[in-house]
Coordinates of all heavy atoms in Angstrom, one line a residue:
M4 N -4.0 -13.6 -3.0 CA -4.8 -12.4 -2.7 C -5.1 -12.4 -1.2 O -5.3 -13.3 -0.6 CB -6.1 -12.5 -3.5 CG -5.9 -12.4 -5.0 SD -5.2 -10.8 -5.3 CE -6.1 -10.3 -6.7
F5 N -5.2 -11.1 -0.8 CA -5.6 -10.9 0.6 C -7.1 -11.2 0.9 O -7.9 -11.0 0.0 CB -5.4 -9.4 1.0 CG -4.0 -9.0 1.2 CD1 -3.4 -8.1 0.4 CD2 -3.2 -9.6 2.2 CE1 -2.1 -7.7 0.6 CE2 -1.9 -9.2 2.4 CZ -1.4 -8.3 1.6
H6 N -7.4 -11.7 2.0 CA -8.8 -11.9 2.4 C -9.4 -10.5 2.7 O -8.7 -9.6 3.2 CB -8.8 -12.8 3.7 CG -10.2 -13.1 4.1 ND1 -11.0 -12.3 4.8 CD2 -10.9 -14.3 3.9 CE1 -12.2 -12.9 5.1 NE2 -12.1 -14.1 4.5
P7 N -10.7 -10.3 2.4 CA -11.3 -8.9 2.6 C -11.1 -8.4 4.0 O -10.9 -7.2 4.3 CB -12.7 -9.1 2.2 CG -12.7 -10.2 1.2 CD -11.6 -11.2 1.7
L8 N -11.2 -9.3 5.0 CA -11.1 -8.9 6.4 C -9.6 -8.4 6.7 O -9.4 -7.5 7.5 CB -11.5 -10.0 7.4 CG -13.0 -10.3 7.4 CD1 -13.3 -11.4 8.3 CD2 -13.8 -9.0 7.9
T9 N -8.7 -9.1 6.1 CA -7.3 -8.7 6.2 C -7.1 -7.3 5.7 O -6.4 -6.4 6.3 CB -6.3 -9.7 5.5 OG1 -6.6 -11.0 6.0 CG2 -4.9 -9.3 5.7
L10 N -7.7 -7.0 4.5 CA -7.6 -5.7 3.9 C -8.2 -4.6 4.8 O -7.6 -3.5 5.1 CB -8.3 -5.6 2.6 CG -7.6 -6.5 1.5 CD1 -8.5 -6.5 0.3 CD2 -6.2 -6.0 1.2
F11 N -9.3 -4.9 5.4 CA -10.0 -4.0 6.3 C -9.1 -3.7 7.5 O -8.9 -2.6 7.9 CB -11.4 -4.6 6.8 CG -12.1 -3.7 7.7 CD1 -12.8 -2.6 7.2 CD2 -12.1 -4.0 9.1 CE1 -13.5 -1.8 8.1 CE2 -12.8 -3.2 10.0 CZ -13.5 -2.1 9.5
A12 N -8.6 -4.8 8.1 CA -7.7 -4.6 9.3 C -6.5 -3.8 8.9 O -6.0 -3.0 9.7 CB -7.3 -6.0 9.9
L13 N -5.9 -4.1 7.8 CA -4.7 -3.4 7.4 C -4.9 -2.0 7.2 O -4.2 -1.1 7.7 CB -4.2 -4.0 6.0 CG -3.0 -3.3 5.3 CD1 -1.8 -3.4 6.2 CD2 -2.8 -3.9 3.9
S14 N -6.0 -1.6 6.6 CA -6.4 -0.2 6.4 C -6.5 0.5 7.8 O -6.0 1.6 8.0 CB -7.7 -0.1 5.6 OG -8.1 1.2 5.5
H15 N -7.2 -0.1 8.7 CA -7.4 0.5 10.0 C -6.1 0.6 10.9 O -5.9 1.5 11.6 CB -8.6 -0.1 10.8 CG -9.9 0.3 10.2 ND1 -10.4 -0.1 9.0 CD2 -10.7 1.3 10.6 CE1 -11.5 0.5 8.8 NE2 -11.8 1.4 9.7
V16 N -5.4 -0.5 10.8 CA -4.1 -0.5 11.6 C -3.2 0.6 11.1 O -2.6 1.3 11.9 CB -3.4 -1.9 11.5 CG1 -1.9 -1.8 12.0 CG2 -4.1 -2.9 12.3
K17 N -3.1 0.8 9.8 CA -2.3 1.8 9.2 C -2.7 3.2 9.6 O -1.9 4.1 9.8 CB -2.3 1.7 7.7 CG -1.8 0.4 7.1 CD -0.3 0.2 7.4 CE 0.4 1.3 6.8 NZ 1.5 1.8 7.5
Q18 N -4.0 3.4 9.8 CA -4.5 4.8 10.1 C -4.3 5.1 11.6 O -4.1 6.2 11.9 CB -6.0 4.8 9.8 CG -6.3 4.8 8.3 CD -7.8 4.7 8.0 OE1 -8.6 5.3 8.7 NE2 -8.2 4.0 7.0
E19 N -4.5 4.1 12.4 CA -4.5 4.3 13.9 C -3.1 4.0 14.5 O -2.9 4.3 15.7 CB -5.5 3.4 14.5 CG -6.9 3.8 14.0 CD -8.0 2.8 14.4 OE1 -7.6 1.9 15.2 OE2 -9.1 2.9 13.9
N20 N -2.1 3.6 13.7 CA -0.9 3.2 14.3 C -0.1 4.5 14.8 O -0.2 5.5 14.2 CB -0.1 2.4 13.3 CG 1.2 3.1 12.9 OD1 2.1 3.1 13.7 ND2 1.3 3.5 11.6
V21 N 0.6 4.3 15.9 CA 1.4 5.4 16.4 C 2.9 5.1 16.5 O 3.6 6.0 16.8 CB 0.9 5.8 17.9 CG1 -0.5 6.4 17.8 CG2 0.9 4.7 18.8
G22 N 3.3 3.9 16.2 CA 4.7 3.6 16.3 C 5.3 2.9 15.1 O 6.5 2.8 15.0
L23 N 4.5 2.4 14.2 CA 5.0 1.6 13.0 C 5.8 2.6 12.1 O 5.1 3.6 11.6 CB 3.9 0.9 12.3 CG 4.3 0.0 11.2 CD1 5.2 -1.2 11.7 CD2 3.1 -0.5 10.4
K24 N 7.0 2.4 11.9 CA 7.8 3.2 11.0 C 8.2 2.6 9.6 O 8.3 3.3 8.7 CB 9.1 3.6 11.7 CG 9.0 4.3 13.0 CD 8.4 5.7 12.8 CE 8.3 6.4 14.2 NZ 7.3 7.4 14.2
R25 N 8.3 1.3 9.6 CA 8.6 0.5 8.4 C 7.6 -0.6 8.2 O 7.3 -1.3 9.2 CB 10.0 -0.1 8.5 CG 11.1 1.0 8.6 CD 12.5 0.3 8.6 NE 13.5 1.3 8.8 CZ 14.1 1.6 10.0 NH1 13.8 0.9 11.0 NH2 15.0 2.5 10.1
L26 N 7.2 -0.8 7.0 CA 6.3 -1.9 6.7 C 6.7 -2.6 5.4 O 6.8 -1.9 4.3 CB 4.8 -1.3 6.5 CG 3.8 -2.4 6.2 CD1 3.7 -3.4 7.3 CD2 2.4 -1.7 6.0
N27 N 7.0 -3.9 5.5 CA 7.4 -4.6 4.3 C 6.3 -5.5 3.9 O 6.0 -6.5 4.6 CB 8.7 -5.5 4.7 CG 9.2 -6.2 3.5 OD1 8.6 -6.5 2.5 ND2 10.5 -6.6 3.6
L28 N 5.7 -5.2 2.7 CA 4.6 -6.0 2.2 C 5.1 -6.7 0.8 O 4.3 -6.9 0.0 CB 3.4 -5.2 2.0 CG 2.7 -4.7 3.2 CD1 1.6 -3.7 3.0 CD2 2.2 -5.9 4.1
R29 N 6.4 -6.9 0.7 CA 7.0 -7.5 -0.4 C 6.4 -8.9 -0.7 O 6.2 -9.6 0.2 CB 8.5 -7.6 -0.2 CG 9.2 -8.1 -1.4 CD 10.7 -8.1 -1.1 NE 11.5 -8.6 -2.2 CZ 12.1 -7.8 -3.0 NH1 12.1 -6.5 -2.9 NH2 12.8 -8.3 -4.0
M30 N 6.0 -9.2 -1.9 CA 5.5 -10.5 -2.4 C 4.3 -10.9 -1.5 O 4.3 -12.0 -1.0 CB 6.6 -11.5 -2.3 CG 7.8 -11.3 -3.3 SD 9.2 -12.4 -3.2 CE 8.4 -14.0 -3.1
N31 N 3.4 -10.0 -1.3 CA 2.2 -10.3 -0.5 C 0.9 -10.5 -1.3 O -0.2 -10.5 -0.7 CB 2.0 -9.3 0.6 CG 2.6 -9.7 1.9 OD1 2.1 -10.5 2.6 ND2 3.7 -9.0 2.2
G32 N 1.0 -10.7 -2.6 CA -0.2 -10.9 -3.4 C -1.1 -9.7 -3.5 O -2.3 -9.8 -3.6
F33 N -0.5 -8.5 -3.3 CA -1.3 -7.3 -3.5 C -1.9 -7.3 -4.8 O -1.3 -7.5 -5.9 CB -0.3 -6.1 -3.4 CG -0.5 -5.2 -2.2 CD1 -0.3 -5.8 -1.0 CD2 -0.8 -3.9 -2.3 CE1 -0.4 -5.0 0.2 CE2 -1.0 -3.1 -1.2 CZ -0.8 -3.6 0.0
G34 N -3.2 -6.9 -4.9 CA -3.9 -6.7 -6.1 C -4.6 -5.4 -6.0 O -4.2 -4.5 -5.3
L35 N -5.7 -5.3 -6.7 CA -6.5 -4.1 -6.7 C -7.0 -3.7 -5.3 O -6.8 -2.5 -4.9 CB -7.7 -4.2 -7.7 CG -8.6 -3.0 -7.7 CD1 -7.9 -1.8 -8.1 CD2 -9.8 -3.3 -8.6
E36 N -7.6 -4.6 -4.6 CA -8.1 -4.3 -3.3 C -7.0 -3.9 -2.3 O -7.2 -3.0 -1.5 CB -9.0 -5.5 -2.8 CG -10.2 -5.7 -3.6 CD -11.1 -4.4 -3.8 OE1 -11.3 -3.7 -2.8 OE2 -11.5 -4.2 -4.9
G37 N -5.9 -4.6 -2.4 CA -4.8 -4.3 -1.5 C -4.2 -2.9 -1.8 O -3.9 -2.1 -0.8
A38 N -4.1 -2.5 -3.0 CA -3.6 -1.2 -3.4 C -4.6 -0.1 -3.0 O -4.2 0.9 -2.5 CB -3.4 -1.2 -4.9
K39 N -5.9 -0.4 -3.2 CA -6.9 0.6 -2.7 C -6.8 0.8 -1.2 O -6.9 1.9 -0.7 CB -8.3 0.1 -3.1 CG -8.6 0.3 -4.5 CD -10.1 -0.1 -4.8 CE -10.5 0.1 -6.2 NZ -11.9 -0.4 -6.4
A40 N -6.7 -0.3 -0.5 CA -6.7 -0.2 1.0 C -5.4 0.6 1.4 O -5.5 1.4 2.3 CB -6.7 -1.6 1.7
M41 N -4.3 0.3 0.8 CA -3.1 1.0 1.2 C -3.1 2.4 0.8 O -2.7 3.3 1.5 CB -1.9 0.3 0.5 CG -0.5 0.9 0.9 SD -0.3 1.0 2.7 CE -0.2 -0.7 3.1
G42 N -3.7 2.7 -0.4 CA -3.8 4.1 -0.8 C -4.7 4.9 0.2 O -4.3 6.0 0.6
H43 N -5.8 4.3 0.6 CA -6.6 5.0 1.6 C -5.9 5.2 2.9 O -6.0 6.2 3.6 CB -7.9 4.1 1.8 CG -8.8 4.7 2.9 ND1 -9.6 5.8 2.6 CD2 -9.1 4.3 4.1 CE1 -10.3 6.1 3.7 NE2 -10.0 5.2 4.6
A44 N -5.1 4.1 3.4 CA -4.4 4.2 4.6 C -3.3 5.3 4.6 O -3.1 6.0 5.5 CB -3.8 2.9 5.0
L45 N -2.7 5.5 3.4 CA -1.6 6.5 3.3 C -2.1 7.9 3.4 O -1.4 8.8 3.9 CB -0.9 6.3 2.0 CG 0.1 5.1 1.9 CD1 0.5 4.9 0.5 CD2 1.2 5.3 2.8
V46 N -3.4 8.1 3.1 CA -4.0 9.4 3.2 C -4.0 9.8 4.7 O -3.8 11.0 5.0 CB -5.4 9.5 2.6 CG1 -6.1 10.7 3.0 CG2 -5.4 9.3 1.1
H47 N -4.3 8.9 5.5 CA -4.5 9.2 6.9 C -3.3 8.9 7.8 O -3.2 9.5 8.9 CB -5.7 8.4 7.5 CG -6.9 8.7 6.7 ND1 -7.7 9.8 6.8 CD2 -7.6 7.9 5.7 CE1 -8.7 9.8 6.0 NE2 -8.6 8.7 5.3
N48 N -2.4 8.1 7.4 CA -1.2 7.7 8.3 C -0.2 8.8 8.4 O 0.2 9.4 7.4 CB -0.6 6.4 7.7 CG 0.5 6.0 8.6 OD1 1.6 6.4 8.5 ND2 0.2 5.1 9.6
R49 N 0.3 9.1 9.6 CA 1.3 10.1 9.8 C 2.5 9.6 10.5 O 3.3 10.4 11.0 CB 0.6 11.3 10.6 CG -0.5 12.0 9.9 CD 0.1 12.8 8.8 NE -0.9 13.3 7.8 CZ -0.9 12.9 6.5 NH1 0.1 12.2 6.0 NH2 -1.8 13.4 5.7
T50 N 2.8 8.3 10.5 CA 3.9 7.8 11.2 C 4.8 6.9 10.3 O 6.0 6.8 10.5 CB 3.6 7.0 12.5 OG1 2.8 5.9 12.1 CG2 2.9 7.9 13.5
L51 N 4.3 6.3 9.3 CA 5.0 5.4 8.4 C 6.0 6.1 7.6 O 5.7 7.1 6.9 CB 4.1 4.6 7.5 CG 4.7 3.4 6.8 CD1 5.1 2.3 7.7 CD2 3.7 2.9 5.7
L52 N 7.3 5.7 7.7 CA 8.4 6.3 7.0 C 8.8 5.5 5.7 O 9.2 6.1 4.7 CB 9.6 6.5 7.9 CG 9.4 7.4 9.1 CD1 10.6 7.4 10.0 CD2 9.0 8.8 8.7
E53 N 8.7 4.2 5.8 CA 9.2 3.3 4.8 C 8.2 2.3 4.4 O 7.6 1.6 5.3 CB 10.5 2.6 5.1 CG 11.6 3.6 5.4 CD 12.9 2.9 5.8 OE1 13.1 1.7 5.5 OE2 13.8 3.5 6.4
L54 N 7.9 2.1 3.1 CA 6.9 1.1 2.7 C 7.5 0.3 1.5 O 8.0 0.9 0.5 CB 5.7 1.8 2.2 CG 4.6 0.9 1.6 CD1 4.1 -0.1 2.6 CD2 3.4 1.8 1.2
D55 N 7.5 -1.0 1.6 CA 8.0 -1.9 0.5 C 6.9 -2.6 -0.1 O 6.3 -3.5 0.6 CB 9.1 -2.8 1.0 CG 9.8 -3.6 0.0 OD1 9.4 -3.6 -1.2 OD2 10.8 -4.2 0.3
L56 N 6.6 -2.3 -1.3 CA 5.5 -3.0 -2.1 C 6.1 -3.8 -3.2 O 5.4 -4.2 -4.1 CB 4.5 -2.0 -2.6 CG 3.7 -1.2 -1.6 CD1 2.8 -0.2 -2.2 CD2 2.9 -2.2 -0.7
S57 N 7.4 -4.1 -3.2 CA 8.1 -4.8 -4.3 C 7.5 -6.2 -4.6 O 6.9 -6.8 -3.7 CB 9.5 -4.9 -4.0 OG 10.2 -3.7 -3.8
S58 N 7.6 -6.6 -5.8 CA 7.2 -7.9 -6.3 C 5.7 -8.2 -6.0 O 5.4 -9.3 -5.5 CB 8.1 -9.0 -5.6 OG 9.4 -8.8 -6.0
N59 N 4.9 -7.3 -6.3 CA 3.4 -7.5 -6.2 C 2.8 -7.2 -7.5 O 3.4 -6.5 -8.4 CB 2.8 -6.5 -5.1 CG 3.0 -7.0 -3.7 OD1 2.4 -8.0 -3.3 ND2 3.9 -6.4 -3.0
R60 N 1.6 -7.7 -7.7 CA 0.9 -7.4 -9.0 C -0.2 -6.4 -8.7 O -1.2 -6.7 -8.0 CB 0.3 -8.7 -9.5 CG 1.3 -9.7 -9.9 CD 0.7 -10.9 -10.6 NE 1.7 -11.9 -10.9 CZ 2.3 -11.9 -12.1 NH1 2.1 -10.9 -12.9 NH2 3.3 -12.8 -12.3
I61 N -0.1 -5.2 -9.2 CA -1.0 -4.1 -8.9 C -1.5 -3.6 -10.3 O -0.8 -3.1 -11.1 CB -0.4 -3.0 -8.1 CG1 0.1 -3.5 -6.8 CG2 -1.3 -1.8 -7.9 CD1 0.8 -2.5 -5.9
P62 N -2.9 -3.7 -10.5 CA -3.4 -3.2 -11.8 C -3.4 -1.7 -11.8 O -3.2 -1.0 -10.8 CB -4.8 -3.7 -11.8 CG -5.2 -4.0 -10.3 CD -3.9 -4.4 -9.7
L63 N -3.6 -1.1 -13.0 CA -3.5 0.3 -13.2 C -4.4 1.1 -12.2 O -3.9 2.0 -11.6 CB -3.8 0.7 -14.6 CG -3.8 2.2 -15.0 CD1 -2.3 2.7 -14.7 CD2 -4.2 2.4 -16.4
Q64 N -5.6 0.6 -12.0 CA -6.5 1.3 -11.1 C -6.0 1.3 -9.6 O -6.1 2.3 -8.9 CB -7.9 0.6 -11.1 CG -8.9 1.4 -10.3 CD -10.3 0.7 -10.4 OE1 -10.5 -0.3 -11.1 NE2 -11.3 1.2 -9.7
G65 N -5.3 0.2 -9.3 CA -4.7 0.1 -7.9 C -3.5 1.1 -7.8 O -3.3 1.7 -6.8
A66 N -2.7 1.2 -8.9 CA -1.6 2.1 -8.9 C -2.1 3.6 -8.7 O -1.5 4.4 -8.1 CB -0.8 2.0 -10.2
V67 N -3.2 3.9 -9.4 CA -3.8 5.2 -9.2 C -4.3 5.5 -7.8 O -4.0 6.6 -7.3 CB -5.0 5.4 -10.2 CG1 -5.8 6.7 -9.9 CG2 -4.5 5.4 -11.7
S68 N -4.8 4.5 -7.2 CA -5.2 4.6 -5.7 C -4.0 4.9 -4.9 O -4.0 5.7 -4.0 CB -6.0 3.4 -5.3 OG -7.2 3.2 -5.9
L69 N -2.9 4.1 -5.1 CA -1.7 4.3 -4.4 C -1.2 5.7 -4.6 O -0.7 6.4 -3.7 CB -0.7 3.3 -4.7 CG -0.8 1.9 -4.1 CD1 0.2 1.0 -4.8 CD2 -0.5 2.0 -2.6
A70 N -1.2 6.2 -5.8 CA -0.7 7.5 -6.2 C -1.5 8.6 -5.4 O -0.9 9.6 -4.9 CB -0.7 7.8 -7.7
K71 N -2.8 8.5 -5.4 CA -3.6 9.4 -4.7 C -3.2 9.5 -3.2 O -3.2 10.5 -2.6 CB -5.1 9.1 -4.8 CG -5.6 9.4 -6.2 CD -7.0 9.1 -6.4 CE -7.5 9.4 -7.8 NZ -8.9 9.0 -8.0
G72 N -3.0 8.3 -2.6 CA -2.6 8.2 -1.2 C -1.3 8.8 -0.9 O -1.1 9.6 0.0
L73 N -0.3 8.6 -1.8 CA 1.0 9.1 -1.7 C 1.0 10.7 -1.9 O 1.7 11.4 -1.2 CB 1.9 8.5 -2.8 CG 2.3 7.1 -2.5 CD1 2.9 6.5 -3.8 CD2 3.2 6.9 -1.3
N74 N 0.1 11.1 -2.7 CA 0.0 12.6 -3.0 C -0.5 13.3 -1.7 O -0.1 14.5 -1.5 CB -1.0 12.8 -4.1 CG -0.9 14.3 -4.6 OD1 0.1 14.9 -4.8 ND2 -2.1 14.9 -4.7
S75 N -1.2 12.6 -0.9 CA -1.7 13.2 0.4 C -0.8 13.0 1.6 O -1.1 13.5 2.6 CB -3.1 12.7 0.7 OG -4.0 13.0 -0.4
N76 N 0.2 12.2 1.4 CA 1.0 11.8 2.5 C 2.4 12.6 2.4 O 3.1 12.4 1.4 CB 1.3 10.3 2.5 CG 2.0 9.8 3.7 OD1 3.2 10.2 3.9 ND2 1.4 8.9 4.4
D77 N 2.7 13.4 3.4 CA 3.9 14.1 3.4 C 4.9 13.5 4.4 O 5.9 14.2 4.8 CB 3.7 15.6 3.7 CG 3.0 15.9 5.0 OD1 2.6 14.9 5.7 OD2 2.8 17.0 5.3
V78 N 4.7 12.3 4.9 CA 5.5 11.7 5.9 C 6.4 10.6 5.4 O 7.6 10.5 5.7 CB 4.7 11.2 7.1 CG1 5.6 10.5 8.1 CG2 3.9 12.3 7.7
L79 N 5.9 9.8 4.5 CA 6.6 8.7 3.9 C 7.8 9.2 3.1 O 7.7 10.1 2.3 CB 5.7 7.9 2.9 CG 6.2 6.5 2.5 CD1 6.1 5.5 3.6 CD2 5.4 6.1 1.3
T80 N 9.0 8.6 3.5 CA 10.2 9.1 2.8 C 10.8 8.0 1.8 O 11.6 8.4 1.0 CB 11.3 9.4 3.9 OG1 11.6 8.2 4.7 CG2 10.9 10.5 4.8
T81 N 10.4 6.7 2.0 CA 10.9 5.7 1.2 C 9.8 4.8 0.7 O 9.1 4.2 1.5 CB 12.0 4.8 1.9 OG1 13.0 5.7 2.4 CG2 12.6 3.8 1.0
L82 N 9.7 4.6 -0.6 CA 8.8 3.7 -1.2 C 9.5 2.8 -2.1 O 10.1 3.2 -3.1 CB 7.7 4.4 -2.0 CG 6.7 3.6 -2.8 CD1 5.9 2.7 -1.8 CD2 5.8 4.4 -3.6
K83 N 9.5 1.5 -1.9 CA 10.2 0.5 -2.7 C 9.2 -0.2 -3.5 O 8.2 -0.8 -3.0 CB 11.0 -0.5 -1.8 CG 12.1 0.2 -1.0 CD 12.8 -0.8 -0.2 CE 13.9 -0.1 0.6 NZ 14.6 -1.1 1.5
V84 N 9.4 -0.2 -4.9 CA 8.5 -0.9 -5.8 C 9.2 -1.7 -6.9 O 8.7 -1.8 -8.0 CB 7.5 0.2 -6.4 CG1 6.6 0.7 -5.4 CG2 8.3 1.3 -7.1
S85 N 10.4 -2.2 -6.5 CA 11.1 -3.0 -7.5 C 10.3 -4.2 -7.9 O 9.6 -4.8 -7.1 CB 12.5 -3.4 -7.0 OG 12.4 -4.3 -5.9
R86 N 10.4 -4.6 -9.2 CA 9.7 -5.8 -9.7 C 8.2 -5.7 -9.5 O 7.6 -6.7 -9.3 CB 10.3 -7.1 -9.1 CG 11.8 -7.3 -9.5 CD 12.3 -8.6 -9.1 NE 13.7 -8.6 -9.4 CZ 14.6 -9.3 -8.8 NH1 14.3 -10.0 -7.7 NH2 15.8 -9.3 -9.2
L87 N 7.7 -4.5 -9.5 CA 6.3 -4.3 -9.4 C 5.6 -4.6 -10.7 O 6.1 -4.1 -11.7 CB 6.0 -2.9 -9.0 CG 4.5 -2.6 -8.6 CD1 4.1 -3.3 -7.3 CD2 4.3 -1.1 -8.4
H88 N 4.7 -5.5 -10.7 CA 4.0 -5.9 -12.0 C 2.7 -5.2 -12.1 O 1.8 -5.4 -11.2 CB 3.8 -7.4 -12.0 CG 5.0 -8.2 -11.8 ND1 5.9 -8.4 -12.9 CD2 5.6 -8.8 -10.8 CE1 6.9 -9.1 -12.5 NE2 6.7 -9.3 -11.2
T89 N 2.6 -4.3 -13.0 CA 1.3 -3.6 -13.2 C 0.7 -4.1 -14.5 O 1.3 -4.6 -15.4 CB 1.5 -2.0 -13.3 OG1 2.4 -1.8 -14.4 CG2 2.1 -1.5 -12.0
S90 N -0.6 -3.9 -14.6 CA -1.3 -4.4 -15.8 C -2.3 -3.2 -16.2 O -2.8 -2.5 -15.4 CB -2.2 -5.6 -15.5 OG -3.1 -5.4 -14.5
I91 N -2.4 -3.1 -17.5 CA -3.2 -2.1 -18.1 C -4.3 -2.8 -18.8 O -4.1 -3.8 -19.6 CB -2.4 -1.2 -19.1 CG1 -1.3 -0.5 -18.4 CG2 -3.3 -0.3 -19.8 CD1 -0.4 0.2 -19.3
P92 N -5.6 -2.4 -18.6 CA -6.7 -3.1 -19.2 C -6.5 -3.2 -20.8 O -6.1 -2.3 -21.4 CB -7.9 -2.3 -18.9 CG -7.5 -1.5 -17.7 CD -6.0 -1.3 -17.8
G93 N -6.8 -4.4 -21.3 CA -6.6 -4.6 -22.7 C -5.3 -5.2 -23.1 O -5.1 -5.6 -24.3
E94 N -4.4 -5.4 -22.2 CA -3.1 -5.9 -22.5 C -3.1 -7.4 -22.2 O -3.6 -7.9 -21.2 CB -2.0 -5.2 -21.8 CG -1.7 -3.9 -22.4 CD -0.4 -3.3 -21.8 OE1 0.2 -3.8 -20.9 OE2 0.1 -2.3 -22.4

């Protein structure tokens, strides 16, 4: 799991970045908080073109946060989510 300060920094770097085009977060222990931070960052980011979230564990609520961020982002062209493990409450 990410440390809370790492999530905070990730969120702000993503929003203020002016040159980052590709971000590989494959197998980074993404969970609910990571997905929420990335969803928030995607709303504001206007430079990231490719994002790899493959092989992470993201619960349903985190997937919803990511979806909201993606819905507001018209710049990202590639999202990789192979071997993404999602969980639904009660399973």
Side-chain angles (χ1 to χ4, degrees):
M4 291 300 220
F5 285 119
H6 186 278
L8 290 176
T9 302
L10 294 173
F11 179 79
L13 173 64
S14 176
H15 282 78
V16 167
K17 298 294 302 141
Q18 293 174 37
E19 297 168 9
N20 120 66
V21 293
L23 185 65
K24 302 291 183 203
R25 294 183 186 101
L26 182 60
N27 184 339
L28 293 172
R29 184 180 182 96
M30 295 176 47
N31 264 288
F33 249 60
L35 176 59
E36 295 306 314
K39 283 182 177 181
M41 183 54 66
H43 179 74
L45 286 170
V46 169
H47 302 285
N48 184 275
R49 295 290 164 239
T50 60
L51 189 66
L52 300 175
E53 297 179 20
L54 176 61
D55 188 348
L56 298 176
S57 300
S58 300
N59 280 290
R60 294 184 183 277
I61 298 176
L63 181 60
Q64 186 179 359
V67 169
S68 294
L69 280 171
K71 287 178 180 177
L73 290 166
N74 190 49
S75 298
N76 185 300
D77 58 357
V78 178
L79 192 72
T80 58
T81 303
L82 175 64
K83 296 179 181 179
V84 291
S85 67
R86 297 185 182 150
L87 188 66
H88 303 279
T89 57
S90 59
I91 298 172
E94 284 192 351

